[in-house]
Amino acid sequence: METKKLYRSQANRTICGVCGGIGEYFHIDPTLIRLAWVLVACMGPGLIAYIIAAVIIPDEPTIVG
């Protein structure tokens, strides 16, 4: 059984790859995650949460080969 890990996306990166990584983790279109994040940012501390997530969530490892 493979363990799922949350990473900032390299392929679906717009700013830092946070929404792309969350979308890949939950198998949801990253655009829907971005739209939800904008709604949260308009209602409260969404920008601060995004910055914290960008710092905490590691980058997706690159596969060399």
Side-chain angles (χ1 to χ4, degrees):
M1 186 172 168
E2 187 176 330
T3 305
K4 285 177 36 173
K5 293 188 178 184
L6 178 62
Y7 293 110
R8 289 187 291 144
S9 177
Q10 294 294 327
N12 292 317
R13 183 176 288 241
T14 299
I15 297 175
C16 292
V18 174
C19 294
I22 292 171
E24 290 173 1
Y25 183 82
F26 290 110
H27 303 288
I28 300 172
D29 184 14
T31 305
L32 297 175
I33 303 294
R34 289 183 188 106
L35 289 172
W37 207 290
V38 167
L39 291 174
V40 170
C42 289
M43 289 187 265
L47 182 61
I48 294 171
Y50 188 89
I51 293 169
I52 292 170
V55 171
I56 291 175
I57 300 173
D59 274 333
E60 182 177 29
T62 56
I63 300 172
V64 177

